[in-house]
Each structure stands twice: as structure tokens, then as C-alpha cells.
Amino acid sequence: MVDSAKPDATRSLPFRPDGTADDEGGAASLTARLGQWRDNPLAARAFWPAMGASALALGLIAYLALSPAGRSPLYGQLPDADKAAVVSALEGAGLDVALDPRTGAVLLPPDDHARARMLLAAQGLPKAAPAATDMLMDLPLGASRAVEGARLKAAGERDLARAIESLDGVDSALVLIARPEPSPFIREQAPPTASVTLTLAPGRSLGASQARAIVHLVAGAVPGLRPDQVAIADQSGRLLAGGAEARDRMIEDRLALRARMEARAREAILSVLNPMLGPGNVTAEVAIELDFASRAAAQESYEREGALRSEQTSRSTTRQPRAIGIPGALTNSLPSAATVTAAPPPAAPPAENQASDESATRNYELGRSVEVTSRTGGEIRRLTAAVAVRADALGPAEGRARMLAEIRELAEAAVGHDASRGDRIAVAARPFAPPADNAPPLWRDPLAIEGAKWLATALVIIALLALVVRPMLARWLPPAARLRNGAAEGVAASGPIALTSIPVPEEPLHAPVDYAGKLEEARRLAASDNARATLVARRLLAAPSEG
């Protein structure tokens, strides 16, 4: 009994007597331990939180391992066309590119920025330069004043280029502004200059008004820049504004102003003299010399006599003893022997010098008059007019001199004659030559040319109807219609037909129809020839649908 109750030592060991591991015993012990841990209430309570924490940790590790690398903006703001081209090029190169859903910026991992910029630069992308705000945001910390000035200058040029690109017909623009170094001498200050290079859209050209708008746009954005210091060129190298072009345009404007003033003066003379002499009896020509020099003058004047505002007077007097002694006497010589007199001489009063100084200061209120005169040019320097009058329109020869004097006075008043400027009005009365016959020949007359065009068009239409349309209609019409047309043409060709040649039936036109006989004849026909009767019935039934 004792031996039977003794536990088996070989089964409790994890190894068999031959030295091999007892797998069944180890698995049973592990299962027993898991059972004990599961039966423990504290372990059972912490099991599900531990499993949740483990799953969360595994998920975080997987996200960090599988999530893409962080991206940063490569370009902040680009036009949609450049943005699509940039993204397509980067995707073709195999880079991990994305777009910011909020700002639309092109995002790339920071390690790929340099490679992406080199790749895009090789393809000429992006075509639009970055905005001025992006250039200022990329300014490094601690940059020098020179770097800041250059970056601000580039940002201003970029903003001007974007403003010019918004104009119709301009694809891209490049603005360069040259600011000279400041000089301590005012007379040596050089004004700034600017140049603009435009790339126009295919098939578009820049008008004169658009060029002037660009010139004033650039000049207004740069302090101290004059419009004549702005040069504009397109992609073909044509100078649109600035340099000789600006001077030529200025000369053209001056000539146009002179022509308008001369035309206005001529119209004034003709409007005054035509009612008196009749249309076609007077002609005039006016020449005006203009002064385009710009002058500015300032003048100040004061009144001679003014009101006393304040007065200050000062007086000083000084007294000093008069110098005594013998001029030229030696101070180290022995005095002469003293002589004794009975009565001493009277004492002389002490000699003194008296000096006085007096000064006065008076302030007066003076009136001041300032006159500033500025003339921008375009004034008339000299006016010359020539008026020719038909001699026959002046009436008798005795009163022509008086008429010519009146005409001269009227012409001078009409154009604003000023003798101090040296203006001159010349009036002459001569017979006019008959007008030359400048009528164009018939073959150059616009009415004849237009009539010939319409006549040629009508002939072409008639030829088409006769040679093309009629044969085609004759070919397409059915034979019955052709027969009817042929009969109608024959009747029209043969002329009127006599009514006596047409046979007139003897029976009356409105004789009663014997339907019973015709019905009987139809029955006999159907009884004798069934096939023919069936064919006739089919044709009768099909006739309404065809019509």
C-alpha cells in the first residue's frame, strides 16, 4: 500500500530516463499554469485591457513603419497650368509628389527638393516665377542689408511682372529696374531706369495704348522713375517703347497737335468768309509755329516802407586819464636839480579822456509778394495765314480794295492775330482756275463695277439652270411626267390650235352612265379570267396608297 501510494518519480520529471525531454509532461504543466492564470480574477480582469494596449501599440508601430515620409512645400503658389506640368514631371520621375488640399501647394519630401528643382529646371518649369511673398518668406535669418535690398528689389520686379502679365495678349513678362548708387552730390544724382521684356501670345501684337499703359504702370511703381526712362521690347526684339521710339512718338504727338491747331484756324477762317463770298470762292492755309520749351520762374518783392515793429537803443560812455610825460624822454635819466621858489605854482587839474558809444536796432514789418509762373510748352510762337479769294466774288473793281481790307480784318480776328508775336495774314484776290475733270473712267466707276458684278452673277445662275439643273431634272423625272412636259412643250412650240380640228363627240357630255351593264361585264370577265380579275383588283386596292 505504501508503495502503491508513492508517487511515480519518473512521470514528475520533464525528462525521460533515457535523457529525452518529456513533451507531454511540459505541455501539461504549461496548460496547468495557463489555467491557473486564467482562474485568477486579477489576471482575468487585466486580460482585455492588456490585449487592447498591445493592439494599439502594434497599430502605431505599423503606421510609423508604413506611413509616407513627411512632405514640405516645394512651390507655394503656382498657376494651374504650371502646377499640372510640375506634378506630371515629378510623377514621371518617380518622386512622391502630392498637393496640399487647402492651399494647393506642391508637396515633396525635404530630401527630394534639390533633385526636383534640378529636374524641373532642365525642363524649363515652372514657367511662372514665384510670387513676391514666397521670395520674402524664403529670406534667411540674419541676412545682410545688401541681401535684403536685393531680395526686396527682386520682389518688386516680380510684382510688376505679374501685373503686366494680367494684361490681355501678354503671356509672360520680365521687369528689370536699375537704381544707381546714391551720391552725396545732388548734381550727380542719376535717375533710375527700367526695362521690360514681353512674351506675347501667338498671333497677338501690343498696341500703342497698351505700351503707354505699361510704361506708366512701371514708372508709377518706382519712385523717381520717369516714363521716358522705361524701355519695352517683345520676344522678337522689337522696341515698343523707350529710346528712339519714345522720341519719335513725342515728335509725332507734337506734329499732330500742330496739325490740329492749323486745321482749327483754317476752319475758323472759312466759316467766317464762306457765308459772305459763297462756298468755293475762298480758300485758306494756316501755318503755326509752336514753342514746346518748358519754363518755370519765381519772383519775390518787398515793400520799401514798412511799419516799425520794434526798436532797441544802447549808449555807453567811458572816461580814461590822459597820458602825461615827455614823449621820447628816457626814464632812467637823472632828474634836474630842484629849484626853490617863493610861491609854489598852482596845481593843474587832472587830464581825462572821455569816449561815448551809441547804437540802435529797429525792426520793420515788410510785405512779401511771391509769384510763381510755370509753362509746360505748346504755346504759339508765330502764326502765318494765306487767304485766296475769287476775284469775281468781290463785285466791281472799285470796291475790291475795301473788301480785301475787311476780309483781312475778319481773318485776323478769326485766328487770334497778335502783332507782338509777328503774326501775318496775307489776302489776295485772283481768278480761280476751272476745276479739272477728275471723273474716273467708266470701268473704274464703283457703280459700274457693282452692276457688272450683279450681271455676271445673274448670267452664271442662268447658265447653271440651263446646263446643269434642267438635264438633271429631265433625268430624274418619271416617264409620264416627261411625256406631259414634252406634250406641253410641243403645244407651246406648235402655237395655238384651232378649235375646229378637235373632234366633238355626238353624245351629250352629261349622258347617264349604265352602271348595271358595266357590273355585268365585270362579272363575266371575272368568271372567264380569274387571274386577270385578281390582278385588276390588286391594282385598284394598291392605287390609293401609291397616290
Side-chain angles (χ1 to χ4, degrees):
M1 294 295 291
V2 176
D3 295 338
S4 61
K6 186 178 181 180
D8 192 357
T10 59
R11 291 185 179 181
S12 62
L13 294 175
F15 297 95
R16 290 192 180 97
D18 57 356
T20 61
D22 189 2
D23 295 338
E24 295 180 357
S29 61
L30 180 60
T31 303
R33 290 178 182 178
L34 290 176
Q36 294 176 359
W37 182 77
R38 187 173 58 249
D39 295 339
N40 188 358
L42 183 60
R45 185 179 301 174
F47 176 75
W48 291 112
M51 292 297 293
S54 301
L56 183 60
L58 291 176
L60 181 60
I61 293 173
Y63 174 77
L64 295 176
L66 300 178
S67 63
R71 300 186 182 94
S72 60
L74 179 64
Y75 293 113
Q77 295 180 356
L78 287 178
D80 293 338
D82 284 352
K83 192 180 300 181
V86 166
V87 172
S88 177
L90 295 178
E91 288 179 350
L95 297 178
D96 187 12
V97 62
L99 292 176
D100 193 341
R102 294 178 300 174
T103 62
V106 180
L107 304 178
L108 271 182
D111 298 339
D112 296 336
H113 279 201
R115 179 188 172 191
R117 292 183 185 274
M118 294 295 292
L119 177 65
L120 295 176
Q123 300 182 12
L125 295 174
K127 295 182 179 180
T133 54
D134 297 340
M135 299 174 64
L136 296 178
M137 292 299 294
D138 295 340
L139 188 66
L141 185 63
S144 62
R145 295 292 298 274
V147 174
E148 290 181 358
R151 188 64 64 88
L152 289 174
K153 175 176 173 292
E157 293 173 350
R158 183 59 243 163
D159 282 341
L160 281 175
R162 292 173 68 90
I164 296 173
E165 289 172 358
S166 63
L167 299 178
D168 187 17
V170 179
D171 277 351
S172 60
L174 176 63
V175 180
L176 299 177
I177 300 174
R179 290 189 178 91
E181 294 293 334
S183 174
F185 303 100
I186 298 177
R187 295 181 179 179
E188 296 181 1
Q189 293 288 348
T193 57
S195 62
V196 182
T197 304
L198 303 178
T199 302
L200 303 179
R204 301 298 297 272
S205 60
L206 196 69
S209 60
Q210 289 179 315
R212 287 195 297 270
I214 294 175
V215 166
H216 289 283
L217 179 66
V218 176
V222 180
L225 179 60
R226 300 194 303 269
D228 57 349
Q229 297 293 332
V230 181
I232 302 177
D234 60 0
Q235 71 270 24
S236 301
R238 293 177 299 178
L239 187 64
L240 304 177
E245 181 72 18
R247 290 192 296 270
D248 294 343
R249 185 175 293 110
M250 181 179 62
I251 294 174
E252 291 178 0
D253 294 341
R254 291 181 177 181
L255 293 177
L257 176 61
R258 177 180 175 180
R260 289 196 300 269
M261 297 181 68
E262 291 175 350
R264 186 179 302 173
R266 181 176 179 274
E267 291 296 331
I269 294 175
L270 294 181
S271 63
V272 171
L273 299 180
N274 275 334
M276 297 173 52
L277 304 175
N281 293 326
V282 61
T283 181
E285 287 296 333
V286 180
I288 298 177
E289 295 181 8
L290 298 178
D291 185 9
F292 291 98
S294 179
R295 299 180 181 88
Q299 181 181 2
E300 294 185 1
S301 61
Y302 296 89
E303 297 180 2
R304 292 185 177 181
E305 297 180 359
L308 182 62
R309 183 177 63 180
S310 62
E311 182 179 3
Q312 182 179 2
T313 305
S314 62
R315 180 180 300 174
S316 62
T317 303
T318 58
R319 294 181 179 181
Q320 296 179 357
R322 182 180 300 177
I324 58 176
I326 300 173
L330 298 177
T331 58
N332 55 357
S333 59
L334 295 175
S336 58
T339 57
V340 179
T341 58
E352 293 182 357
N353 290 334
Q354 184 176 356
S356 62
D357 185 12
E358 183 177 356
S359 62
T361 302
R362 295 181 180 88
N363 296 324
Y364 292 90
E365 291 287 351
L366 300 178
R368 181 182 181 185
S369 175
V370 180
E371 181 181 357
V372 179
T373 304
S374 178
R375 298 180 180 178
T376 59
E379 298 181 354
I380 297 177
R381 181 185 300 172
R382 186 181 180 186
L383 185 145
T384 306
V387 181
V389 182
R390 188 188 297 271
D392 300 339
L394 296 177
E398 294 79 7
R400 289 184 180 180
R402 182 176 56 82
M403 290 288 294
L404 291 177
E406 293 179 357
I407 290 173
R408 181 180 292 106
E409 291 179 0
L410 291 175
E412 290 177 355
V415 299
H417 179 270
D418 189 358
S420 61
R421 295 184 310 206
D423 296 351
R424 182 184 177 188
I425 307 295
V427 181
R430 292 292 184 273
F432 285 8
D437 187 10
N438 296 326
L442 181 61
W443 56 276
R444 286 188 177 180
D445 189 4
L447 184 60
I449 294 174
E450 194 69 21
K453 290 181 180 179
W454 284 104
L455 180 59
T457 304
L459 292 177
V460 170
I461 293 174
I462 293 173
L464 290 175
L465 291 175
L467 301 178
V468 179
V469 177
R470 182 179 178 183
M472 293 177 64
L473 290 176
R475 186 179 301 174
W476 291 344
L477 287 176
R482 267 185 280 173
L483 290 176
R484 288 195 299 269
N485 294 339
E489 292 176 0
V491 171
S494 60
I497 301 176
L499 295 177
T500 57
S501 62
I502 300 175
V504 180
E506 297 181 357
E507 58 181 0
L509 296 177
H510 300 285
V513 181
D514 188 6
Y515 292 103
K518 290 185 178 183
L519 183 58
E520 186 65 25
E521 186 178 356
R523 288 176 179 175
R524 288 196 304 269
L525 179 62
S528 61
D529 193 353
N530 295 331
R532 188 175 180 183
T534 304
L535 182 59
V536 171
R538 288 179 179 176
R539 289 183 178 179
L540 291 175
L541 293 175
S545 61
E546 292 178 358

